Amino acid sequence: MRIKELKVLFSAGEIESSVNAIAGRINAVYKDEPLVVVCVLKGAFMFFGDLVRRIENKNLEVDFVRLSSYGSGTVSSQKVVLGKDVDIDLKGKHVLVVEDIVDTGHSMRFLLDEFADRGALDVKLAVLVDKKERRVVPVAPDFTGFELSDGFIVGYGLDCAEQYRQLPDICEVIMVGEVDGNNLP
Ligand code: PRP
């Protein structure tokens, strides 16, 4: 299997409009209430950077997590663990998790439940690309940029074997050969 071409699916301009719209909704929801915005590394780094600079909250803190998942190879039995945790105590604060893509939902189900257990006031989720048709466990984002039924995408933080994260557009990878439809190479 090899990459034949990268086809722009969501352009940098479309992404910018979407991020602006999400930021506007976030500003209306939280105003200046204590808010911790959490970036899920690595894929969300670009979305996170663009989004937080548009959030006007005067009581905003940022933090970062890294998730690792492993399992028996079937998508329904994934185990997710925190490879890097937040440093900030989330108790009594609003938490906004910023994620690039939700696919099966295993990663976000784990993280949202984990943060809720720590006594956060509430835990919301902003996702740039929601592949909701591929959901295995329930996850309902509060703020969504784009919906996508299927396809393997790279760019704007998303990778293929750590390549292409720096692209300003989100592109679909067109392969020669077999593709499993998942976004996890
Ligand atoms: C991707 C993506 C999400 C997760 C979504 O991360 O960034 O975190 O997979 O999959 P799920 O809904 O099926 O759990 P990846 O493991 O590729 O790491 P990365 O963000 O470092 O690229």
Side-chain angles (χ1 to χ4, degrees):
M1 189 168 66
R2 66 185 172 80
I3 294 175
K4 184 180 165 203
E5 63 174 300
L6 299 180
K7 184 178 137 201
V8 174
L9 206 57
F10 307 119
S11 70
E14 290 171 316
I15 294 168
E16 186 181 4
S17 299
S18 182
V19 174
N20 277 336
I22 292 172
R25 292 178 54 210
I26 288 170
N27 286 330
V29 167
Y30 295 107
K31 303 197 170 60
D32 284 331
E33 292 178 45
L35 174 64
V36 182
V37 189
V38 178
C39 175
V40 183
L41 298 169
K42 296 179 186 176
F45 82 95
M46 212 176 271
F47 176 39
F48 178 84
D50 284 345
L51 185 63
V52 291
R53 79 183 75 185
R54 291 169 170 85
I55 300 178
E56 294 160 357
N57 189 313
K58 293 187 181 64
N59 289 300
L60 184 148
E61 297 171 280
V62 300
D63 215 328
F64 301 84
V65 293
R66 178 100 168 105
L67 299 173
S68 304
S69 64
Y70 53 90
S72 65
T74 59
V75 288
S76 58
S77 60
Q78 287 290 309
K79 170 139 180 74
V80 183
V81 295
L82 275 165
K84 186 234 170 295
D85 202 346
V86 291
D87 300 319
I88 295 170
D89 183 1
L90 304 179
K91 199 171 166 63
K93 294 173 181 168
H94 297 286
V95 176
L96 174 65
V97 174
V98 176
E99 176 65 300
D100 55 337
I101 184 163
V102 180
D103 187 41
T104 66
H106 283 295
S107 306
M108 284 306 96
R109 188 67 276 140
F110 163 79
L111 191 65
L112 299 174
D113 291 347
E114 171 67 26
F115 284 172
D117 286 348
R118 296 182 188 185
L121 273 180
D122 64 14
V123 186
K124 288 188 173 11
L125 173 63
V127 60
L128 188 61
V129 179
D130 188 3
K131 282 186 158 180
K132 65 181 188 185
E133 290 173 29
R134 287 181 46 84
R135 211 70 100 242
V136 173
V137 292
V139 172
D142 301 279
F143 310 96
T144 302
F146 306 98
E147 290 184 359
L148 186 64
S149 56
D150 213 341
F152 179 27
I153 55 175
V154 297
Y156 198 69
L158 288 155
D159 75 311
C160 174
E162 296 300 330
Q163 301 276 301
Y164 307 115
R165 291 194 195 272
Q166 85 278 19
L167 299 179
D169 308 305
I170 293 176
C171 301
E172 182 176 5
V173 177
I174 310 295
M175 299 283 202
V176 177
E178 299 251 324
V179 189
D180 70 358
N182 198 324
N183 203 52
L184 308 176

